[in-house]
């Protein structure tokens, strides 16, 4: 009788393991794609002489801080994205996640690549709106994803202020 019960439980156990492996793979894919895309965009849109020549506000952070901050944020954004994908692939939260990611990846080419403070601001404001909307939509469904986006919202709020200040000063 005991061997019969074990045989009945074995497929369930195997399904749980396969499901966990599939979920882990989704997390790894999200992290790899988001961090790699962010890094490639950053490498191809570095602040050059144009940015160095701008009049900056007194709260402008040192350049070295951006790499570690964005790498950390991209991992957090990717985890929230994977969690959202696993819960609802085509839902409104996933659409917001995708929208903010697209705008995020557009900002550096617009700001640094096109050397346009105004274009950067035009991209970052809706990006911040998408981030905040994601936080509100996620609050009751997935608190961890919500909290993963809070530092991101704070950083992008600061970046929006910095972008607007640079536009004003230059």
């Amino acid at each position: 009788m005991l061997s019969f019960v074990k045989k009945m439980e074995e497929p369930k156990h195997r399904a749980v393991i396969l499901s966990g492996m599939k979920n882990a793979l989704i997390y790894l894919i999200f992290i790899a794609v988001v961090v790699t895309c962010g890094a490639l965009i950053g490498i191809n849109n570095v602040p050059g002489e144009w940015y160095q020549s701008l009049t900056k506000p007194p709260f402008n952070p040192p350049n070295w801080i951006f790499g570690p901050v964005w790498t950390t944020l991209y991992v957090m954004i990717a985890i929230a994205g994977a969690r959202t994908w696993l819960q609802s692939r085509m839902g409104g939260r996933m659409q917001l996640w995708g929208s903010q990611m697209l705008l995020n990846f557009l900002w550096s080419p617009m700001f640094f690549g096109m050397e346009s403070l105004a274009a950067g601001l035009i991209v970052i404001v809706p990006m911040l709106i998408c981030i905040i909307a994601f936080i509100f939509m996620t609050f009751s469904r997935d608190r961890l994803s919500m909290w993963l986006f809070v530092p991101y919202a704070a950083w992008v709020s600061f970046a929006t202020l910095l972008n607007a200040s640079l536009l004003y000063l230059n």
Side-chain angles (χ1 to χ4, degrees):
M1 180 73 172
L2 188 58
S3 66
F4 176 74
V5 171
K6 282 186 177 181
K7 286 184 181 186
M8 292 284 291
E9 290 177 358
E10 191 173 299
K12 287 181 184 178
H13 182 68
R14 188 175 299 139
V16 169
I17 290 172
L18 289 175
S19 175
M21 289 173 55
K22 178 184 169 195
N23 290 353
L25 182 61
I26 288 169
Y27 279 95
L28 290 173
I29 290 168
F30 266 82
I31 292 168
V33 169
V34 171
V35 172
T36 301
C37 287
L40 288 173
I41 289 167
I43 289 168
N44 289 305
N45 295 282
V46 294
E49 290 178 30
W50 166 78
Y51 183 74
Q52 299 307 324
S53 71
L54 296 175
T55 302
K56 300 193 182 59
F59 57 86
N60 190 69
N63 287 343
W64 64 265
I65 197 90
F66 291 96
V69 168
W70 275 114
T71 301
T72 303
L73 289 174
Y74 280 144
V75 170
M76 294 167 71
I77 294 163
I79 292 169
R83 290 176 62 83
T84 304
W85 175 264
L86 289 168
Q87 293 168 10
S88 177
R89 292 182 182 160
M90 296 301 166
R93 292 180 299 132
M94 195 68 223
Q95 291 173 9
L96 274 172
W97 186 90
S99 297
Q100 67 75 30
M101 202 75 264
L102 176 66
L103 292 165
N104 181 304
F105 289 156
L106 280 174
W107 186 84
S108 286
M110 300 297 270
F111 187 89
F112 292 115
M114 290 179 47
E115 298 181 352
S116 176
L117 301 169
L121 194 59
I122 288 168
V123 170
I124 204 168
V125 169
M127 181 171 97
L128 181 58
I129 292 167
C130 287
I131 293 165
I132 293 168
F134 179 86
I135 289 170
F136 278 102
M137 282 187 75
T138 306
F139 176 78
S140 64
R141 294 182 181 106
D142 182 2
R143 291 275 172 96
L144 178 57
S145 292
M146 180 208 72
W147 283 113
L148 288 168
F149 258 55
V150 169
Y152 180 36
W155 183 257
V156 173
S157 295
F158 173 74
T160 303
L161 176 63
L162 183 58
N163 193 153
S165 298
L166 289 167
L167 182 62
Y168 175 76
L169 293 171
N170 294 281

